[in-house]
Amino acid sequence: MKYFKFLLPVLMLGLSWRLSAQTDDFIIEQVADQVYAAIPKRSEKISATSTIIVHSRFLTVVEAQTDQTRAKALLRAIRERISALPIRYLILTHYHADHVMGTKAFLEENPGLTILAHPRTREAMALDSPTDEAWVVSWRNYLRSRIDEPAPTDSLKARQAGLRAYFRHLSDSPVVLPTLTVADSLTLHDVSADLQIRYLGEGHTTGDLVVFVPQARVLITGDLVHDFEPLFFKVSPDRWIGTLNRLEQIPFDHLVGGHGHPQRGKAVVGYWRSYIEEISGRVREGLRQGLSLEQIQTRSTPETLRSLLRHDYGRRIQQAREAAMTPTYIGPLALAVQSNIAAIYRIYRAQTLH
Ligand SMILES: [Zn+2]
């Protein structure tokens, strides 16, 4: 009883802290001095982790969220939990819908906003540009196809209702193009927190930017490194590894990726590199032996991949997938590995055909 009396206020304090640290859609976590991460909670929306940097007289936000509804929820969380200062810079690490489609809400709240991205990100976002990455269209088509799938159980019905709401929110969110492009690097000097925006090479897309806050030793990496498994589109895995090697040279103690929770230290960069090296090696070897995609996939289950067994990395990805349950990250790790291998197979095949 004596202990209980002592413990109860401590437990209550813990509970109220947890409640106060959570808003409707986001968990707000302080990463270091002047830097906060807003981690989306489990949802039918594929939503990015945003980072908020508190400068001396204004804020910078990295990642604009997946639609205006989510962006407005993030703005509320920022105002309630972090700061009332105006947002002067919004940085889009790359062009994918889950990172950019909430931009209009930021602009409405902050009319003087500057929206930064790599020139290739801007180009991919401009729908009339001659790019084959019709990103919003293909994302909407993908969601449509999931909505139209049969939903025999109540949980699947609930899931599809969530996806339908997401589809509506996305359709209500216009594309807002970046107003300032950074092809190489840009440094903003500030008493509280400098910003170093840098392009380190191709990886997840051809225009991934990273953001380093030197005073806080925080690196924000977009989808070049994060909590889940990497997603491959058109860039060769070999180039991505080169970019990871450059990224690792930056003197950071904390890493905030484009999805999931912030990480301490650089270990996650090593996990990604070993995984990318191993599965791309399997695909290269399979192609050399004349194997089909299915044969390569059958031989490359998670149990056969050393990079996933080491440090229990496969289980970490699995846990992150289960925690998020977004339309992209669904199902067991084996499926993730299969789709990674299929994407790399397509990339290597396209290279040899050219
Ligand atoms: Zn992405």
Side-chain angles (χ1 to χ4, degrees), residues 196 198 212-219 246-255 265-266:
Q196 295 177 4
R198 292 168 67 178
F212 182 50
V213 186
Q215 287 99 325
R217 294 177 69 90
V218 176
L219 181 69
R246 286 183 285 279
L247 183 149
E248 206 174 28
Q249 300 304 311
I250 297 173
F252 65 91
D253 295 331
H254 305 270
L255 181 152
K266 296 184 173 180

Side-chain angles (χ1 to χ4, degrees), residues 94 96 98-99 204-205 223 231 233 259:
H94 63 293
H96 288 153
D98 48 325
H99 299 256
H204 178 66
T205 69
D223 287 0
L231 287 187
F233 293 89
H259 298 281

